[in-house]
Amino acid sequence: LKRIGFTHCLGLRCDYQKIWDSGADAFPDSEENIREGREMLNQALENELQIVATLSPGSWLRTADVGKPFHRVDRSGKHYLRDDISGLFPQVQDFVFNTGTAMSRAYGAHPALSAALLHSEVRDDSQVSFLPIDKETYREATGEEIPDEVTNKNGIQWEKIAGFPKNRVIADDDPILKFLKWFWQKGDGWNELHSRLNDGLKQHAHVGFWTFYDPAVR
């Protein structure tokens, strides 16, 4: 790695089930595996390389049995073919924060742990959800209901919208536009989950530790 010019590489493991079961006081792995992880960090430091942890607790919940209650549903109440979790549930947000804190508790002070990649490539599977918490959260945020025309995250063809302006210019407070802006910024919950994971990782991290989300920096 040094010879061909790399300065950083991915490393470290995390047992998400252990963190889910242990909660706020969790460690990210067994004592033996944590010891091996710290030995790897020592080796990296000796060779002037930095380690980047890659963490996807929210993605793990997509396939874990404990994540099923948080899966998104369509208007008919059916699960999507590509399962994804709603990031609005407090239990999901706490788990993501606890994951970051657990990793920070075990490794955060080590100078060779330079950064963390947060939830790489998750938005492709995100979709508009009609769980009670999704509808209630939008109602609380805007005082409105999710527009009947909305069925997915990708917008609606203008030809299918009754009374669409002939000049194809819509108002800033258009109900469909308002919902989709809310969905992408807050409503699907992933931005909040990234932030919660970041906040957990910073609990015991050394000065200069940083995080990133794949598509935003590529």
Side-chain angles (χ1 to χ4, degrees):
L1 286 172
K2 290 175 63 176
R3 181 178 59 81
I4 58 180
F6 275 97
T7 59
H8 295 65
C9 65
L10 298 177
L12 296 178
R13 294 177 293 184
C14 183
D15 185 340
Y16 297 116
Q17 184 67 58
K18 181 178 177 63
I19 295 171
W20 179 269
D21 294 338
S22 301
D25 298 324
F27 279 88
D29 215 326
S30 66
E31 290 186 14
E32 180 181 357
N33 287 341
I34 290 174
R35 188 179 303 111
E36 289 180 0
R38 294 188 65 86
E39 290 174 356
M40 181 273 292
L41 291 171
N42 289 340
Q43 186 179 8
L45 189 64
E46 291 171 3
N47 286 276
E48 300 179 317
L49 287 166
Q50 293 288 300
I51 300 301
V52 179
T54 176
L55 298 170
S56 298
S59 302
W60 175 79
L61 277 178
R62 288 171 168 166
T63 57
D65 287 341
V66 296
K68 290 180 179 178
F70 313 114
H71 284 180
R72 301 174 192 268
V73 298
D74 62 20
R75 274 197 179 274
S76 66
K78 295 180 179 179
H79 290 276
Y80 290 100
L81 293 178
R82 299 171 68 174
D83 284 326
D84 188 34
I85 56 164
S86 172
L88 301 181
F89 284 95
Q91 303 99 307
V92 173
Q93 295 177 4
D94 289 346
F95 167 63
V96 169
F97 177 80
N98 291 341
T99 297
T101 303
M103 290 294 288
S104 185
R105 184 178 289 122
Y107 307 112
H110 200 293
L113 179 58
S114 179
L117 166 58
L118 312 180
H119 288 130
S120 179
E121 303 288 0
V122 292
R123 299 301 274 279
D124 287 349
D125 290 331
S126 179
Q127 190 52 271
V128 175
S129 180
F130 297 91
L131 291 164
I133 193 171
D134 298 300
K135 294 185 285 187
E136 181 182 345
T137 302
Y138 185 65
R139 191 181 303 120
E140 291 176 351
T142 65
E144 301 177 9
E145 302 296 328
I146 300 175
D148 292 338
E149 297 90 341
V150 173
T151 57
N152 65 71
K153 66 182 179 182
N154 298 322
I156 305 166
Q157 290 179 288
W158 66 269
E159 302 98 324
K160 296 181 179 180
I161 301 176
F164 197 84
K166 292 183 178 180
N167 63 5
R168 302 184 191 176
V169 177
I170 60 176
D172 290 339
D173 61 352
D174 178 88
I176 297 173
L177 174 64
K178 182 186 293 186
F179 172 78
L180 290 173
K181 288 176 67 175
W182 173 84
F183 173 80
W184 281 107
Q185 293 171 358
K186 296 182 179 180
D188 80 336
W190 277 111
N191 286 339
E192 178 65 20
L193 294 184
H194 301 334
S195 296
R196 295 279 284 173
L197 183 53
N198 170 80
D199 293 345
L201 283 162
K202 299 291 179 66
Q203 293 297 301
H204 307 286
H206 59 78
V207 175
F209 179 85
W210 53 280
T211 63
F212 68 106
Y213 172 58
D214 246 354
V217 297
R218 183 178 301 138

